[in-house]
Amino acid sequence: MFENLNERLERSFKILKGEGKITEINVAETLKDVRRALLDADVNYKVAKTFTDTVKQKALGMNVLTAIKPGELMVKVVHDELAALMGGKATEMKLESTPGHPAVILMAGLNGAGKTTMSGKLALMLKSKQHRKPLLAACDTFRPAAMEQLRVLAEQVAVPCYIEEGATNPVAVAKAAINHARLNGNDIVIIDTAGRQSIDEELMVQIRDIKDAVNPDETLLVIDAMIGQEAVTTAKTFNDRLEIDGVILTKLDGDTRGGAALSVRAVVDKPIKFIGTGEKMEAFDVFHPERMADRILG
Ligand code: GDP
């Protein structure tokens, strides 16, 4: 991931690293290159512009023109601003449960984004790392195959799964799953919901109904990082309708250019909480903006 961006940024800093004495023009040229590299990596236009404007202001404020190693100072400013752009610090989920009152995570997203896979990954992480007792709830009543997929994943990670064969009302299934968790000592319910090929009104109404009925502690939007600029539109639409608490970016193991990771936070002001880095249940990580910035700058 980010190979292109990484290479392009490295090239942008070459001038500053080579010059004995640098001028404001050198800085401006470098930042123009940085902006182009960000745009080519599918970063949203406004985000890229604000980013380079901020970097310029900070770099000049730190007297980059008279610095002994202007190139290195510039890389540091860009690094810190990249991390800030992605949210600064890792953001945890707030999952408070009391006996008989499980915490609820609502998973939302378009078809193929990786919702069902991520539901399994989250369940595994909560069970093995946080010693919680999650229950997976199959509420994609739109596609029976999705329910079966969740059942198989649940078996793989050895977490119970609530399914109602032939059910057609996801709100009823979600409520029944929470009740089932209450009675069986599960302290977290992860609700996998239906997606669509693209955003449509029916989907938005359905997922809003589920949210209103179960009042989740965390509403997480799963986005495929490979969809580039579309990721921002998807995040914005879901957030406007559903008030999400965070984003999960999947498929960061592919050759994604990185735009989604860099733009989502700035556009919807919601943190990226987790990333998916493969199809296996273990291919999952907390999103650390600092580490991602390290990676982008190589
Ligand atoms: P859903 O329709 O949103 O529930 O998406 P699925 O969970 O069914 O995932 C769609 C496809 O993407 C499946 O083939 C998954 O194995 C794959 N997938 C999910 N997450 C990742 C990931 O982080 N990396 C890769 N390479 N594939 C993933």
Side-chain angles (χ1 to χ4, degrees):
M1 90 177 99
F2 301 145
E3 279 85 6
N4 256 342
L5 182 57
N6 177 286
E7 218 173 89
R8 288 279 300 274
L9 290 179
E10 205 165 291
R11 240 186 294 149
S12 313
F13 296 125
K14 268 221 166 100
I15 302 170
L16 290 190
K17 282 188 168 164
E19 300 268 319
K21 176 153 175 38
I22 63 156
T23 64
E24 202 161 324
I25 294 174
N26 298 137
V27 173
E29 296 270 304
T30 303
L31 287 174
K32 215 190 261 174
D33 273 355
V34 169
R35 180 137 94 202
R36 272 192 222 114
L38 291 173
L39 292 176
D40 287 346
D42 266 341
V43 172
N44 173 278
Y45 176 79
K46 276 194 207 146
V47 174
K49 174 156 178 21
T50 310
F51 179 83
T52 43
D53 288 349
T54 312
V55 168
K56 182 175 183 187
Q57 217 177 33
K58 294 217 165 150
L60 293 177
M62 289 165 89
N63 298 324
V64 70
L65 298 180
T66 51
I68 299 173
K69 293 184 170 172
E72 278 166 34
L73 180 61
M74 198 70 168
V75 172
K76 186 183 169 350
V77 177
V78 169
H79 174 277
D80 293 351
E81 281 311 304
L82 280 176
L85 181 63
M86 291 184 283
K89 284 207 174 86
T91 316
E92 290 190 13
M93 291 192 289
K94 290 193 196 88
L95 296 174
E96 282 168 28
S97 59
T98 52
H101 294 279
V104 175
I105 303 175
L106 180 64
M107 305 291 281
L110 296 178
N111 270 349
K115 264 185 319 298
T116 307
T117 309
M118 196 43 83
S119 300
K121 290 178 180 182
L122 269 180
L124 176 63
M125 181 276 287
L126 289 166
K127 183 180 88 151
S128 60
K129 300 223 167 99
Q130 301 189 10
H131 311 292
R132 307 287 295 247
K133 291 176 79 180
L135 171 75
L136 285 160
C139 295
D140 182 353
T141 52
F142 205 68
R143 275 190 327 135
M147 293 204 257
E148 177 57 18
Q149 187 193 350
L150 190 68
R151 195 187 60 72
V152 171
L153 287 177
E155 229 170 74
Q156 244 182 60
V157 297
V159 161
C161 184
Y162 184 86
I163 294 188
E164 285 183 19
E165 304 282 348
T168 51
N169 179 352
V171 173
V173 180
K175 282 183 171 167
I178 293 171
N179 208 28
H180 181 89
R182 228 174 246 146
L183 297 173
N184 289 276
N186 299 106
D187 60 1
I188 295 177
V189 181
I190 302 171
I191 300 178
D192 185 25
T193 63
R196 294 286 190 278
Q197 294 309 325
S198 56
I199 290 169
D200 72 13
E201 187 57 24
E202 191 192 4
L203 168 69
M204 288 297 159
V205 169
Q206 185 182 79
I207 189 123
R208 182 76 231 184
D209 285 349
I210 301 176
K211 178 162 179 161
D212 290 343
V214 303
N215 189 22
D217 299 73
E218 288 278 336
T219 301
L220 300 177
L221 175 65
V222 181
I223 302 181
D224 178 345
M226 303 288 284
I227 65 175
Q229 295 268 358
E230 271 299 301
V232 168
T233 320
T234 304
K236 210 170 160 345
T237 312
F238 269 91
N239 190 45
D240 287 348
R241 297 294 297 266
L242 206 61
E243 296 143 65
I244 61 171
D245 296 299
V247 170
I248 298 179
L249 267 189
T250 61
K251 309 190 192 179
L252 279 173
D253 50 312
D255 60 351
T256 166
R257 289 187 278 185
L262 289 164
S263 311
V264 159
R265 174 70 192 238
V267 176
V268 295
D269 197 27
K270 294 291 161 70
I272 297 172
K273 295 197 172 181
F274 302 103
I275 54 174
T277 52
E279 297 192 55
K280 294 215 173 87
M281 287 295 100
E282 293 76 19
F284 166 89
D285 228 325
V286 170
F287 181 72
H288 290 283
E290 287 270 348
R291 282 185 215 163
M292 200 55 83
D294 290 347
R295 235 169 143 152
I296 291 170
L297 288 171

